[in-house]
Every structure is written in C-alpha cells, then in structure tokens.
C-alpha cells in the first residue's frame, strides 16, 4: 500500500500524466468536433501517424518546431478534406472512408519516411520542444514540477480544450455545428449550409489530429518510427463516447487514461514477480470499464453517420 501511495504522491507521475494525455487531448477534440457535426472520422489513427511523420520530417530538414507543428496540422486538414469529399459530398460510408484514410495515411507515412530517410540502425533525431518552467508557478511545492514544467504544446492542448468548450456551447458557430449534427435539415431551414459546416468541422478536427501526432515526434520523442501512435487514435474515438461529446469531459477522459498509463509504467518497476503484460493491459481494461459506465448515459448526436443531401428529408 505504501508503494501505491508513494507513486501517487510523486510529482513525476502527474507530470507524466500531462505528457501522455497531450496527444489524446488533441485527437479526442478533433474527433469530437467531427462527430458534433454528424461525421464519424475513423481516419484518426492514420492522420496522427502522418502528422507525426511530416512534422518530424519538416523539422529534420530545417524547419523550426512550430512550423513543423503547423505543417502537421495542414497535412491533417488535407486528409480531412479527403474524408469530407468522400462522406459529405459523395455520401459514402463514413466507416469505410475513415478506415481507408487510416490505411492510406499510415502506409503513405512509412513510404515517404523510407523514401527520404535511408534505413539505419538508429533513427535520426531532432531537438524537440523543451519543458518551460512558468515563472512563479513552477516553484510551487508538488504542483509546480507536476503541472507547470511542461512543453508548450501541452499548454496549447489544454487551451484548445477550453476554447472548444466555449465555442461549441457559447457561440453561434457552435450552435450551428451542434444543429448540423442533430438535424441538418433543420439547420438548412434556418439558412445554414450543413455541407459547408461539416466540411469545416472535419477539416479543423483532422488538423487537430495531425497536431496530436506531431506532438509525439516534436515533444514527447525526438524521432519517428511507423508504429509510434500505437492505437492512440482508437483510444480517442472511445474517449469521445466517454465524454458524451463534451470537450470538458474529453479533457478529463484523456487525463484519466493517461493516469492509468503512467501509473502502470511505475508499477512495473515497483512490483516484482508480475508479468509486465498485466500492467500494460491495465489502463485499457479500466478505460473499457469507465467507457461502459459513462456511455450508458451518453446522448449521441442524432445525425451522426447519416449522409446529408440538400433538399431531401
């Protein structure tokens, strides 16, 4: 018991929680924005992989870190445009289109990486974002090193969550997005263009996904390898349901999963004689339990996964 208390009371644990949660926050908010407009985006895993690759590759070839993050966002937006064309304009299956984007983006990432970077025993590296100690806050006992010595993209992810919560529930744009996700024909009757709204939401959401992937190579690590996303995209899809499509809860869900993940990493070294696979699956089991409990009360956007045709009902 004392071991568990020591781990939880460690500032390093909570600092790791924020680092692990950052790509999940970006990805979950991106998927949430798409689904609020009525479109499921299963391309998130591939978009995050491509964002990780193109962001790292840009910096490796001389761009600064913020430019690399911007390029990853633009690349994510381009894949969002592709998904929009297939699902919004052509009305194709959102499941099939999203899976196709994931397969294409993941494979394309590996192809470009191997085309430009020669095969080597040790992957080339870059200098990533460095932690920034916020003056006056980083010196606070426990809270300072835990919360206020993160890299800038982590603070940006939290800011994006707060801005999106305000945008969706306190602005006319957010009302238009929610109306489109609930009843696009009612939105059309109010003079809105549901197709443009869905395009905008998918492209913006996919840009956030690309930024989530880029965080892995520009901040969490300093190199790229094709499997580094490791299913985070699918976790983000589950976190959207867990959050009941609310940005504040999405932020909490990402932090909760990150806590489970960071906690099991420390348990592996603190507890001996237990197969490490047990610890690895712990955050996923706990997330499934939490998802099962929360999803029973979740209210799904009524027009989610339903194709829209102007003038049709």
């Amino acid at each position: 018991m004392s071991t568990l208390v020591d781990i939880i009371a460690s500032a390093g644990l909570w600092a790791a929680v924020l680092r692990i949660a950052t790509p999940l926050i970006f990805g979950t908010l991106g998927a949430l924005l798409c689904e609020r407009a009525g479109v499921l985006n299963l391309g998130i895993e591939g978009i995050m992989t491509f964002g990780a690759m193109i962001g790292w590759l840009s910096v490796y070839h001389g761009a600064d870190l913020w430019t690399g993050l911007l390029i990853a966002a633009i690349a994510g937006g381009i894949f969002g445009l592709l998904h929009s064309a297939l699902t919004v304009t052509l009305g194709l299956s959102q499941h099939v289109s999203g899976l196709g984007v994931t397969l294409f983006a993941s494979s394309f990432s590996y192809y470009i990486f191997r085309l430009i970077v020669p095969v080597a025993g040790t992957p080339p590296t870059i200098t990533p974002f460095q932690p920034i100690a916020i003056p006056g806050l980083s010196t606070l006992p426990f809270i300072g090193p835990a919360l206020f010595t993160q890299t800038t993209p982590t603070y940006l992810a939290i800011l994006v969550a707060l801005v999106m919560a305000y945008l969706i529930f306190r602005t006319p744009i957010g009302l238009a997005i929610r109306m489109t996700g609930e009843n696009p024909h009612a939105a059309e009757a109010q003079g809105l263009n549901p197709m443009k709204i869905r395009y905008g939401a998918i492209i913006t959401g996919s840009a956030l996904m690309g930024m989530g992937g880029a965080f892995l190579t520009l901040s969490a690590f300093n190199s790229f390898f094709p499997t580094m996303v490791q299913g985070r995209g699918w976790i983000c899809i589950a976190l959207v349901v867990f959050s009941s499509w609310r940005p504040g809860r999405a932020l909490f869900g990402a932090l909760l999963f990150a806590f489970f993940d960071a906690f099991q990493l420390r348990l592996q070294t603190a507890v001996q004689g237990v197969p490490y696979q047990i610890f690895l699956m712990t955050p996923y089991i706990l997330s499934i339990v939490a998802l099962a409990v929360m999803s029973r009360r979740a209210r799904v956007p009524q027009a989610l996964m339903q194709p829209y045709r102007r003038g049709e009902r």
Side-chain angles (χ1 to χ4, degrees):
M1 181 61 70
S2 61
T3 300
L4 298 180
V5 173
D6 291 340
I7 293 175
I8 294 175
S10 168
L13 169 71
W14 298 102
V17 167
L18 281 178
R19 287 196 303 271
I20 295 172
T22 300
L24 297 176
I25 295 171
F26 278 120
T28 303
L29 292 175
L32 185 151
L33 185 60
C34 294
E35 295 187 25
R36 270 292 182 180
V39 179
L40 178 68
N41 190 350
L42 295 181
I44 180 172
E45 183 82 3
I47 293 172
M48 290 183 72
T49 301
F50 193 85
M53 186 279 301
I54 200 67
W56 175 87
L57 195 62
S58 301
V59 176
Y60 179 67
H61 282 282
D64 62 77
L65 292 167
W66 284 108
T67 301
L69 194 65
L70 176 62
I71 290 174
I74 293 173
I78 292 173
F79 281 108
L81 179 62
L82 173 62
H83 187 55
S84 300
L86 294 173
T87 59
V88 179
T89 301
L90 300 180
L92 302 180
S93 168
Q94 296 176 14
H95 293 91
V96 174
S97 174
L99 292 174
V101 169
T102 282
L103 293 173
F104 171 64
S106 299
S107 302
F108 195 41
S109 300
Y110 185 66
Y111 172 74
I112 293 179
F113 179 70
R114 284 305 178 206
L115 188 66
I116 298 178
V117 180
V119 178
T122 302
T125 61
I126 63 170
T127 301
F129 282 101
Q130 299 301 308
I132 296 178
I134 298 180
L137 296 177
S138 59
T139 56
L140 293 174
F142 183 78
I143 296 178
L147 304 181
F148 300 112
T149 56
Q150 300 291 329
T151 59
T152 310
T154 296
Y155 300 126
L156 177 62
I158 297 173
L159 177 62
V160 169
L162 298 177
V163 170
M164 186 175 292
Y166 178 82
L167 176 74
I168 289 180
F169 294 105
R170 294 290 186 271
T171 67
I173 294 176
L175 178 60
I177 292 172
R178 287 185 287 127
M179 184 181 294
T180 301
E182 295 290 340
N183 190 334
H185 300 291
E188 181 184 8
Q190 294 299 315
L192 301 174
N193 188 328
M195 296 187 72
K196 288 185 178 180
I197 292 172
R198 285 188 169 183
Y199 260 85
I202 297 169
I203 292 172
T204 303
S206 298
L208 291 175
M209 297 172 190
M211 293 173 66
F215 175 84
L216 296 174
T217 50
L218 302 184
S219 184
F221 306 102
N222 60 0
S223 61
F224 171 79
F225 51 94
T227 59
M228 70 185 313
V229 175
Q230 293 183 327
R232 288 180 176 87
W234 306 116
I235 293 297
C236 291
I237 295 294
L239 288 176
V240 173
V241 181
F242 172 84
S243 69
S244 299
W245 290 268
R246 305 179 75 89
R249 292 182 184 178
L251 175 61
F252 171 74
L255 292 171
L256 182 63
F257 179 86
F259 169 78
F260 292 151
D261 200 8
F263 190 64
Q264 66 86 14
L265 288 173
R266 282 154 179 77
L267 279 180
Q268 288 187 42
T269 58
V271 179
Q272 304 298 322
V274 180
Y276 74 93
Q277 292 88 348
I278 300 294
F279 297 111
L280 287 176
M281 69 182 184
T282 300
Y284 297 94
I285 293 175
L286 295 176
S287 298
I288 290 172
V289 173
L291 178 63
V293 172
M294 295 297 294
S295 62
R296 298 179 64 181
R297 296 178 291 175
R299 184 180 180 278
V300 182
Q302 295 301 300
L304 182 62
M305 296 183 289
Q306 295 180 9
Y308 165 76
R309 290 288 183 271
R310 179 173 293 182
E312 296 180 3
R313 289 185 179 275

